[in-house]
Amino acid sequence: MFFNPNDFRRRQERTGPSGLLEIFSREWLTIVKVDALTCLSLVPLVTLPPALLAMNHMARRMAEDRSVTVREFWQSFRANFWRSYPTFFLAVLLPVISLWSSFFYAGKAAGNLILFAPCVFSLFVFVVSLLMSAYLFPLAASGMPLGQAVRQSFALGFARPGQALMCALLNDSLAALAIGFLPFSIPYFLLGGLMFPCVAGQVFVRSVLDQFCPDLEGEEEEEF
């Protein structure tokens, strides 16, 4: 079992989970460090999925008032390396592909009404994958079997769509906006532009994961 005395002390001192502003004010330097590590580790592009999964794992730990160190980031990067690729496809690529497909079929549906069906189906896939993405990253990083994490995130996405939508839109909209302004947005990425929204998103879904996945923290510690 992985034990950190700093985590134990924080749990003894607090009466409830820290708020978003409290986490930002206390952990801003760690957030910037993890963000820089993420940017560094995704430079080869082929390591983008494990880098994003490790970043989301560290954001989840911050939301739960647990320690986050450089060592723990690389531990998560290595431990979740292979499961990060299907997670990345379901949580990132699938929403992008399905959204593009819905626009494509919508443009063609005026001349051929039968294409309205794949347009609606693409929109449905987009909504489902978007809602899943908020829960899939922390569940996949917890050591939970990937198939179970996918099923659980699917169920949570429909059970608590509000928190999932806030988390997904915050991360996706800011990331898309920053990517659109490259290379001028490079300082934004290096100074916490990836990690700050990620931590905020994990705070949004924290209560849902704590309610429906109470053993998630124990699974993470055992995996570490």
Side-chain angles (χ1 to χ4, degrees), residues 14-153:
R14 72 179 185 177
T15 57
S18 297
L20 184 58
L21 292 180
E22 183 181 352
I23 294 174
F24 281 170
S25 62
R26 184 183 66 223
E27 303 285 1
W28 67 269
L29 183 58
T30 304
I31 290 174
V32 172
K33 287 180 180 179
V34 172
D35 189 277
L37 283 174
T38 303
C39 292
L40 176 66
S41 57
L42 60 78
V43 167
L45 290 184
V46 294
T47 57
L48 176 61
L52 290 182
L53 187 55
M55 180 187 72
N56 277 270
H57 192 186
M58 297 302 102
R60 164 70 179 169
R61 292 181 66 84
M62 284 187 182
E64 289 294 318
D65 291 324
R66 285 182 283 160
S67 68
V68 170
T69 64
V70 172
R71 173 174 169 266
E72 287 162 353
F73 176 88
W74 290 120
Q75 276 184 319
S76 179
F77 184 93
R78 292 190 299 269
N80 299 304
F81 188 88
W82 294 113
R83 75 171 64 192
S84 69
Y85 288 93
T87 302
F88 180 79
F89 174 79
L90 292 172
V92 179
L93 291 184
L94 188 58
V96 173
I97 294 171
S98 57
L99 182 61
W100 179 86
S101 298
S102 65
F103 280 112
F104 174 80
Y105 287 117
K108 302 289 185 180
N112 189 353
L113 291 180
I114 198 172
L115 294 179
F116 184 72
C119 175
V120 173
F121 176 75
S122 297
L123 280 175
F124 175 76
V125 173
F126 169 70
V127 172
V128 171
S129 57
L130 191 70
L131 295 178
M132 283 179 57
S133 64
Y135 301 111
L136 184 55
F137 272 115
L139 291 175
S142 69
M144 179 184 293
L146 188 58
Q148 182 183 351
V150 172
R151 293 191 299 270
Q152 190 78 27
S153 61

